[in-house]
Amino acid sequence: MRGAPPPRWVRVLPVALLVAVSCATLITPHARDLGFLLGAIPPLAVLSYGPLATAVLGTAVVVVLNVPATHLNRPGNTDLLTIVFVAALSVFVSFVRSRRDAQLDAERAVGEAVQRAVMPPLPERVGTVGCTGFYRAAQDGTLVGGDFFDVRDGPYGVRAVMGDVRGHGLSAVATVVSLLGAFREAVLDQPDLESVAARMDRRLAVDSAGVPNGELFATGVLLEFSADGPAVRVVACGHPAPVLLHGEHAREVTVAPGPPLGIGLIGVEPPKEVTVALGPGDRLFLASDGVWEARDEAGVFYPLPARLAALAGTASAAELPDLVWQDLVRLRYEVRDDVTMLVLAPGSQPARPRRSPRKSDASASPN
């Protein structure tokens, strides 16, 4: 995908070089030895300008070479033809680059549309629960990958899911779509989280049936916020447990670990639901393997609960995902998987709007 625009000095350089060489040669004939710099102007223009502006700068170079007052009006035929050829080639390269950039912009627009369709931006609140999500795909140039999350209100309360399918990048998108569809349907008609997990497991089993090497599986964690008291129910299917934030304290919730989705929960003992009491102001922080398994230079995993305890004291729920990402970058942890974070604040005040990660933030990857 197209990255950030070139720095301003790169855009100014071809024009500045043309003006500087022209002025120097107009002032003194001793500066004519600088004439060779004019040959660099058309290639430099390719970095920042389209074919029309590149052609104008190339023409200006040829004109300057033939103005007597610049003392550069005696180039050899071979030198002049070389400059003309370089200028023409630069125009062609600029045209190709412009077409490529237009195509990449179109592909990026499609990717953004796919992302919005697969995982629409979370509202600030779902029922009585404040929500903040953060997503960054591991595969460069993609906006969607193998991680997913969603929060839905239904007849049995507010339910949330976070998961990670096998693989990442565009190949995992179809599996993500199936799982999210199964979750959203199950939220409406399944009375408990174990049944929701079973519905998602069945969806993966059906999708992989009859497919060569169709080993579809996913880790996941499901939450349900009780409507009859300050508590949350949790079902873990091979996914890291949520971290409970209470003031400046953070601890990983103790869950009954179950097998990943897609390996056959139907007919075997389902994962066990755990109920966790919540106090005033408590928040739940969910993160994917991309965060939990980030490593420093010594190969030590990122200590998420400890870092959350250090960061959460003065931060709102809406600020926590950005702070954790900035912490990963600052401490130079290596991230090898999609980075997904979800903060759920039951009974909280509406969360402040959060910005999406800028491209410059994403490019500051600790990889």
Side-chain angles (χ1 to χ4, degrees):
M1 301 295 177
R2 177 184 287 186
R8 185 176 180 181
W9 68 268
V10 175
R11 295 181 58 83
V12 171
L13 184 58
V15 177
L17 192 59
L18 178 63
V19 172
V21 173
S22 300
C23 291
T25 54
L26 285 171
I27 294 172
T28 171
H30 300 293
R32 61 187 177 188
D33 290 339
L34 299 176
F36 75 94
L37 295 174
L38 295 175
I41 291 175
L44 287 174
V46 173
L47 300 176
S48 305
Y49 297 103
L52 180 59
T54 302
V56 169
L57 286 170
T59 302
V61 169
V62 175
V63 169
V64 169
L65 285 173
N66 287 277
V67 172
T70 63
H71 311 287
L72 299 172
N73 61 323
R74 288 188 291 273
N77 291 335
T78 300
D79 295 336
L80 188 58
L81 287 174
T82 299
I83 293 295
V84 171
F85 175 77
V86 170
L89 184 61
S90 298
V91 171
F92 174 75
V93 172
S94 179
F95 172 77
V96 173
R97 182 186 62 81
S98 298
R99 292 288 298 272
R100 183 204 61 189
D101 287 349
Q103 181 179 1
L104 292 179
D105 285 345
E107 292 176 357
R108 181 177 183 84
V110 171
E112 290 173 347
V114 170
Q115 184 183 42
R116 288 192 295 269
V118 174
M119 289 198 308
L122 284 178
E124 292 182 7
R125 296 181 68 79
V126 177
T128 60
V129 180
C131 308
T132 303
F134 180 104
Y135 184 85
R136 179 179 181 269
Q139 184 173 329
D140 291 338
T142 63
L143 298 173
V144 290
D147 287 0
F148 62 92
F149 58 76
D150 200 6
V151 184
R152 296 278 165 157
D153 197 1
Y156 304 101
V158 176
R159 289 172 170 174
V161 64
M162 174 176 282
D164 183 2
V165 308
R166 176 176 180 256
H168 54 77
L170 296 177
S171 62
V173 173
T175 306
V176 168
V177 170
S178 291
L179 282 173
L180 284 176
F183 169 76
R184 290 162 183 168
E185 181 181 354
V187 162
L188 301 176
D189 56 26
Q190 296 300 319
D192 52 63
L193 287 182
E194 292 96 332
S195 300
V196 176
R199 177 72 65 86
M200 297 173 71
D201 177 79
R202 184 180 68 179
R203 179 72 266 168
L204 285 182
V206 170
D207 288 349
S208 61
V211 179
N213 300 318
E215 298 177 355
L216 298 180
F217 66 87
T219 63
V221 60
L222 298 160
L223 295 88
E224 178 182 287
F225 291 91
S226 175
D228 55 2
V232 62
R233 301 182 180 93
V234 183
V235 168
C237 300
H239 197 276
V243 177
L244 178 62
L245 302 174
H246 180 76
E248 297 182 0
H249 302 282
R251 67 174 178 86
E252 191 174 351
V253 173
T254 301
V255 298
L261 302 168
I263 63 174
L265 298 184
I266 304 299
V268 300
E269 185 177 2
K272 298 296 184 181
E273 180 182 282
V274 174
T275 300
V276 180
L278 298 175
D282 283 357
R283 296 167 286 179
L284 289 159
F285 190 98
L286 289 76
S288 65
D289 290 343
V291 179
W292 285 98
E293 297 180 358
R295 297 172 183 261
D296 62 13
E297 295 179 353
V300 178
F301 289 121
Y302 182 68
L304 180 59
R307 296 307 302 154
L308 282 173
L311 297 170
T314 58
S316 68
E319 296 169 332
L320 274 176
D322 277 333
L323 289 177
V324 170
W325 173 249
Q326 293 166 12
D327 197 50
L328 284 166
V329 174
R330 181 177 59 84
L331 298 178
R332 299 182 180 277
Y333 275 82
E334 182 182 9
V335 176
R336 298 182 179 180
D337 203 349
D338 299 337
V339 170
T340 309
M341 292 175 272
L342 178 63
V343 183
L344 302 172
S348 65
Q349 295 298 317
R352 286 182 289 174
R354 67 177 297 275
R355 63 177 178 82
S356 298
R358 296 175 299 177
K359 186 66 179 178
S360 57
D361 293 338
S363 62
S365 169
N367 290 349

Coordinates of all heavy atoms in Angstrom, one line a residue, residues 95-152:
F95 N 5.2 8.1 -15.0 CA 3.9 7.7 -15.4 C 3.5 6.3 -14.9 O 2.4 6.1 -14.4 CB 3.8 7.7 -17.0 CG 2.6 7.1 -17.5 CD1 1.4 7.8 -17.6 CD2 2.6 5.8 -18.0 CE1 0.2 7.2 -18.1 CE2 1.4 5.2 -18.6 CZ 0.2 5.9 -18.6
V96 N 4.5 5.4 -14.9 CA 4.2 4.0 -14.4 C 4.0 4.1 -12.9 O 3.1 3.4 -12.4 CB 5.4 3.1 -14.8 CG1 5.3 1.8 -14.1 CG2 5.6 2.9 -16.3
R97 N 4.8 4.9 -12.2 CA 4.6 5.0 -10.8 C 3.2 5.5 -10.4 O 2.6 5.1 -9.5 CB 5.7 5.9 -10.2 CG 5.6 6.0 -8.6 CD 6.6 7.0 -8.1 NE 6.4 8.3 -8.6 CZ 5.5 9.2 -8.1 NH1 4.7 8.8 -7.1 NH2 5.3 10.4 -8.7
S98 N 2.8 6.5 -11.2 CA 1.5 7.1 -10.9 C 0.4 6.1 -11.1 O -0.6 6.1 -10.3 CB 1.3 8.4 -11.8 OG 2.2 9.4 -11.5
R99 N 0.5 5.3 -12.2 CA -0.5 4.3 -12.4 C -0.5 3.3 -11.3 O -1.6 2.8 -10.8 CB -0.3 3.6 -13.8 CG -0.5 4.5 -15.0 CD -2.0 4.8 -15.2 NE -2.7 3.5 -15.4 CZ -2.9 3.0 -16.6 NH1 -2.4 3.6 -17.7 NH2 -3.6 1.9 -16.8
R100 N 0.7 2.9 -10.8 CA 0.8 1.9 -9.8 C 0.2 2.4 -8.5 O -0.6 1.7 -7.8 CB 2.2 1.5 -9.5 CG 2.4 0.4 -8.5 CD 3.8 0.5 -7.9 NE 4.1 1.8 -7.3 CZ 5.2 2.2 -6.8 NH1 6.3 1.5 -7.0 NH2 5.4 3.4 -6.2
D101 N 0.5 3.7 -8.2 CA -0.1 4.3 -6.9 C -1.6 4.4 -7.0 O -2.2 4.1 -6.0 CB 0.5 5.7 -6.7 CG 2.0 5.7 -6.3 OD1 2.5 4.6 -6.0 OD2 2.6 6.7 -6.3
A102 N -2.1 4.7 -8.2 CA -3.6 4.7 -8.3 C -4.2 3.3 -8.0 O -5.2 3.2 -7.4 CB -4.0 5.3 -9.7
Q103 N -3.5 2.3 -8.6 CA -4.0 0.9 -8.4 C -4.0 0.5 -6.9 O -4.9 -0.1 -6.3 CB -3.2 0.0 -9.2 CG -3.7 -1.5 -9.1 CD -2.9 -2.4 -9.9 OE1 -2.0 -2.0 -10.6 NE2 -3.2 -3.7 -9.9
L104 N -2.8 0.9 -6.2 CA -2.7 0.6 -4.8 C -3.7 1.3 -4.0 O -4.2 0.8 -3.0 CB -1.3 0.9 -4.4 CG -0.2 0.0 -4.9 CD1 1.2 0.4 -4.4 CD2 -0.4 -1.5 -4.6
D105 N -4.0 2.6 -4.4 CA -5.0 3.3 -3.6 C -6.4 2.6 -3.7 O -7.2 2.6 -2.8 CB -5.1 4.8 -4.1 CG -3.9 5.6 -3.7 OD1 -3.2 5.2 -2.7 OD2 -3.7 6.7 -4.3
A106 N -6.7 2.1 -4.9 CA -8.0 1.4 -5.1 C -8.0 0.1 -4.3 O -9.0 -0.2 -3.7 CB -8.2 1.1 -6.6
E107 N -6.9 -0.6 -4.3 CA -6.8 -1.8 -3.5 C -7.0 -1.5 -2.0 O -7.6 -2.3 -1.2 CB -5.5 -2.6 -3.7 CG -5.4 -3.1 -5.1 CD -4.1 -3.8 -5.4 OE1 -3.2 -3.7 -4.5 OE2 -3.9 -4.3 -6.5
R108 N -6.4 -0.4 -1.6 CA -6.5 0.0 -0.2 C -8.0 0.3 0.2 O -8.4 0.0 1.3 CB -5.6 1.2 0.1 CG -5.7 1.6 1.6 CD -4.7 2.8 1.9 NE -4.8 3.1 3.3 CZ -4.1 2.5 4.2 NH1 -3.2 1.5 3.9 NH2 -4.1 2.9 5.5
A109 N -8.6 1.0 -0.7 CA -10.1 1.3 -0.5 C -10.9 0.0 -0.4 O -11.8 -0.1 0.5 CB -10.6 2.2 -1.6
V110 N -10.6 -1.0 -1.2 CA -11.3 -2.3 -1.1 C -11.0 -2.9 0.2 O -11.8 -3.5 0.9 CB -10.9 -3.2 -2.3 CG1 -11.4 -4.6 -2.1 CG2 -11.4 -2.6 -3.6
G111 N -9.7 -2.9 0.7 CA -9.3 -3.5 1.9 C -10.0 -2.8 3.1 O -10.5 -3.5 4.0
E112 N -10.1 -1.5 3.1 CA -10.8 -0.8 4.1 C -12.3 -1.2 4.1 O -12.9 -1.3 5.2 CB -10.7 0.7 4.0 CG -9.2 1.2 4.2 CD -9.0 2.6 3.9 OE1 -9.9 3.2 3.2 OE2 -8.0 3.2 4.3
A113 N -12.9 -1.3 2.9 CA -14.3 -1.7 2.9 C -14.5 -3.1 3.4 O -15.5 -3.4 4.1 CB -14.8 -1.7 1.4
V114 N -13.5 -4.0 3.1 CA -13.6 -5.4 3.7 C -13.5 -5.4 5.2 O -14.2 -6.1 5.9 CB -12.5 -6.3 3.1 CG1 -12.4 -7.6 3.8 CG2 -12.8 -6.5 1.6
Q115 N -12.6 -4.6 5.7 CA -12.4 -4.5 7.2 C -13.7 -4.0 7.8 O -14.1 -4.5 8.9 CB -11.2 -3.5 7.5 CG -10.9 -3.5 9.0 CD -9.8 -2.5 9.3 OE1 -9.8 -1.4 8.7 NE2 -8.9 -2.9 10.2
R116 N -14.3 -2.9 7.2 CA -15.5 -2.4 7.8 C -16.7 -3.4 7.8 O -17.5 -3.5 8.7 CB -15.9 -1.1 7.1 CG -15.1 0.1 7.4 CD -15.7 1.4 6.9 NE -15.8 1.4 5.5 CZ -14.9 1.9 4.7 NH1 -13.8 2.3 5.2 NH2 -15.1 1.8 3.4
A117 N -16.7 -4.3 6.7 CA -17.7 -5.3 6.6 C -17.5 -6.4 7.6 O -18.4 -6.9 8.2 CB -17.8 -5.8 5.1
V118 N -16.2 -6.9 7.7 CA -15.9 -8.0 8.6 C -16.0 -7.5 10.1 O -16.7 -8.2 10.9 CB -14.5 -8.5 8.3 CG1 -14.1 -9.6 9.3 CG2 -14.5 -9.1 6.9
M119 N -15.4 -6.5 10.4 CA -15.4 -6.0 11.8 C -15.7 -4.5 11.8 O -14.8 -3.6 11.8 CB -14.0 -6.2 12.5 CG -13.8 -7.7 12.8 SD -12.4 -7.9 14.0 CE -11.1 -6.9 13.3
P120 N -17.0 -4.1 11.8 CA -17.3 -2.7 11.9 C -16.7 -2.1 13.1 O -16.6 -2.8 14.1 CB -18.9 -2.7 11.9 CG -19.2 -4.1 11.4 CD -18.1 -5.0 11.8
P121 N -16.5 -0.8 13.1 CA -15.9 -0.1 14.3 C -16.9 -0.3 15.5 O -18.1 -0.2 15.3 CB -15.8 1.3 13.9 CG -15.7 1.3 12.4 CD -16.5 0.1 11.9
L122 N -16.4 -0.6 16.6 CA -17.2 -0.8 17.8 C -17.8 0.5 18.2 O -17.2 1.6 18.2 CB -16.4 -1.3 19.0 CG -16.0 -2.8 18.9 CD1 -15.1 -3.1 20.1 CD2 -17.2 -3.7 18.9
P123 N -19.1 0.5 18.6 CA -19.6 1.7 19.3 C -19.0 2.0 20.6 O -18.3 1.1 21.2 CB -21.1 1.4 19.4 CG -21.1 -0.1 19.5 CD -20.0 -0.6 18.6
E124 N -19.1 3.2 21.1 CA -18.5 3.5 22.4 C -19.1 2.7 23.5 O -18.4 2.4 24.5 CB -18.7 5.0 22.7 CG -17.8 5.9 21.8 CD -18.0 7.4 22.1 OE1 -18.6 7.6 23.2 OE2 -17.5 8.2 21.4
R125 N -20.4 2.3 23.4 CA -21.1 1.5 24.4 C -22.0 0.5 23.7 O -22.6 0.8 22.7 CB -21.9 2.4 25.3 CG -21.1 3.4 26.1 CD -22.0 4.2 27.0 NE -22.6 3.4 28.1 CZ -22.0 3.0 29.2 NH1 -20.7 3.4 29.3 NH2 -22.6 2.3 30.1
V126 N -22.0 -0.7 24.3 CA -23.0 -1.7 23.9 C -23.8 -2.0 25.1 O -23.2 -2.6 26.1 CB -22.3 -2.9 23.3 CG1 -23.3 -4.0 23.0 CG2 -21.5 -2.6 22.0
G127 N -25.0 -1.7 25.2 CA -25.8 -1.8 26.4 C -25.2 -1.0 27.5 O -25.0 0.2 27.4
T128 N -24.8 -1.6 28.6 CA -24.2 -0.9 29.7 C -22.7 -1.0 29.8 O -22.0 -0.7 30.8 CB -24.7 -1.5 31.1 OG1 -24.4 -2.9 31.1 CG2 -26.3 -1.3 31.1
V129 N -22.1 -1.5 28.7 CA -20.6 -1.8 28.7 C -19.9 -0.8 27.7 O -20.3 -0.7 26.5 CB -20.4 -3.3 28.2 CG1 -18.9 -3.5 28.2 CG2 -21.1 -4.2 29.1
G130 N -18.9 -0.1 28.2 CA -18.1 0.7 27.4 C -17.1 -0.1 26.6 O -16.6 -1.1 27.2
C131 N -16.8 0.2 25.4 CA -16.0 -0.6 24.5 C -14.9 0.2 23.8 O -15.2 1.3 23.3 CB -16.9 -1.3 23.4 SG -18.3 -2.2 24.0
T132 N -13.7 -0.4 23.8 CA -12.6 0.2 23.0 C -11.9 -0.9 22.3 O -11.4 -1.8 23.0 CB -11.7 1.0 23.9 OG1 -12.4 2.0 24.6 CG2 -10.6 1.7 23.0
G133 N -11.7 -0.9 21.0 CA -11.0 -1.9 20.3 C -9.8 -1.4 19.6 O -9.7 -0.2 19.2
F134 N -8.8 -2.2 19.3 CA -7.6 -1.9 18.6 C -7.2 -3.1 17.8 O -7.2 -4.2 18.2 CB -6.5 -1.6 19.6 CG -5.1 -1.2 19.0 CD1 -4.7 0.1 19.0 CD2 -4.3 -2.1 18.5 CE1 -3.5 0.5 18.5 CE2 -3.1 -1.8 17.9 CZ -2.7 -0.5 17.9
Y135 N -6.9 -2.8 16.5 CA -6.5 -3.9 15.6 C -5.4 -3.5 14.7 O -5.5 -2.4 14.1 CB -7.7 -4.4 14.8 CG -7.4 -5.6 13.9 CD1 -7.5 -6.9 14.4 CD2 -7.0 -5.4 12.6 CE1 -7.2 -8.0 13.7 CE2 -6.7 -6.5 11.8 CZ -6.8 -7.8 12.3 OH -6.5 -8.9 11.6
R136 N -4.4 -4.3 14.5 CA -3.3 -4.1 13.6 C -2.9 -5.4 13.0 O -2.4 -6.3 13.8 CB -2.1 -3.3 14.2 CG -1.0 -3.1 13.2 CD 0.1 -2.4 13.8 NE 1.2 -2.1 12.8 CZ 2.2 -3.0 12.6 NH1 2.3 -4.1 13.3 NH2 3.1 -2.7 11.7
A137 N -3.1 -5.6 11.7 CA -2.7 -6.9 11.1 C -1.2 -7.0 11.0 O -0.4 -6.0 10.8 CB -3.3 -6.9 9.7
A138 N -0.7 -8.2 11.2 CA 0.7 -8.5 11.2 C 1.3 -8.4 9.7 O 2.4 -8.0 9.5 CB 1.0 -9.9 11.8
Q139 N 0.5 -8.8 8.7 CA 1.0 -8.9 7.4 C 1.0 -7.5 6.8 O 0.0 -6.8 6.7 CB 0.1 -9.8 6.5 CG 0.6 -10.0 5.1 CD -0.3 -11.0 4.4 OE1 -0.8 -12.0 5.0 NE2 -0.4 -10.9 3.1
D140 N 2.2 -7.0 6.4 CA 2.3 -5.7 5.8 C 1.5 -5.5 4.6 O 1.4 -6.4 3.8 CB 3.8 -5.4 5.5 CG 4.7 -5.3 6.7 OD1 4.1 -5.0 7.8 OD2 5.9 -5.5 6.6
G141 N 0.8 -4.4 4.5 CA 0.0 -4.1 3.3 C -1.4 -4.6 3.4 O -2.2 -4.5 2.5
T142 N -1.8 -5.2 4.5 CA -3.2 -5.7 4.7 C -3.8 -5.0 5.9 O -3.2 -4.6 6.8 CB -3.2 -7.2 4.9 OG1 -2.6 -7.5 6.1 CG2 -2.6 -8.0 3.8
L143 N -5.2 -4.9 5.8 CA -5.9 -4.2 6.9 C -6.7 -5.2 7.6 O -7.4 -4.9 8.6 CB -6.8 -3.2 6.3 CG -6.1 -2.0 5.6 CD1 -7.1 -1.1 4.9 CD2 -5.3 -1.2 6.6
V144 N -6.8 -6.5 7.2 CA -7.5 -7.5 7.9 C -6.6 -8.7 8.0 O -5.7 -8.9 7.3 CB -8.8 -7.9 7.1 CG1 -9.8 -6.8 7.1 CG2 -8.5 -8.3 5.6
G145 N -6.9 -9.5 9.0 CA -6.0 -10.7 9.2 C -6.8 -11.8 10.0 O -8.0 -12.0 9.7
G146 N -6.1 -12.5 10.9 CA -6.7 -13.7 11.5 C -7.3 -13.4 12.9 O -7.9 -14.3 13.5
D147 N -7.2 -12.2 13.4 CA -7.8 -11.9 14.7 C -9.1 -11.3 14.5 O -9.4 -10.6 13.5 CB -6.9 -10.9 15.5 CG -5.6 -11.6 16.1 OD1 -5.5 -12.8 15.8 OD2 -4.8 -10.9 16.7
F148 N -10.0 -11.4 15.5 CA -11.3 -10.8 15.4 C -11.9 -10.5 16.8 O -11.4 -11.1 17.8 CB -12.3 -11.7 14.6 CG -12.5 -13.0 15.3 CD1 -13.6 -13.2 16.1 CD2 -11.7 -14.1 15.0 CE1 -13.8 -14.5 16.7 CE2 -11.9 -15.4 15.6 CZ -13.0 -15.5 16.4
F149 N -12.8 -9.6 16.9 CA -13.5 -9.3 18.1 C -14.9 -8.7 17.8 O -15.1 -8.2 16.7 CB -12.7 -8.4 19.1 CG -12.3 -7.1 18.5 CD1 -13.3 -6.1 18.4 CD2 -11.0 -6.8 18.2 CE1 -12.9 -4.8 17.9 CE2 -10.7 -5.6 17.6 CZ -11.6 -4.6 17.5
D150 N -15.8 -8.8 18.7 CA -17.1 -8.2 18.6 C -17.8 -8.1 19.9 O -17.5 -8.9 20.8 CB -18.0 -9.0 17.6 CG -19.1 -8.2 17.0 OD1 -19.2 -7.0 17.3 OD2 -20.0 -8.8 16.3
V151 N -18.7 -7.2 20.1 CA -19.5 -7.0 21.3 C -20.9 -6.8 20.8 O -21.2 -5.9 20.0 CB -19.0 -5.8 22.1 CG1 -19.8 -5.8 23.4 CG2 -17.5 -5.9 22.4
R152 N -21.8 -7.6 21.4 CA -23.2 -7.6 21.0 C -24.2 -7.6 22.2 O -23.9 -8.3 23.1 CB -23.6 -8.8 20.0 CG -22.8 -8.7 18.7 CD -23.5 -7.8 17.7 NE -22.6 -7.5 16.6 CZ -23.0 -7.1 15.4 NH1 -24.3 -7.0 15.2 NH2 -22.1 -6.8 14.5

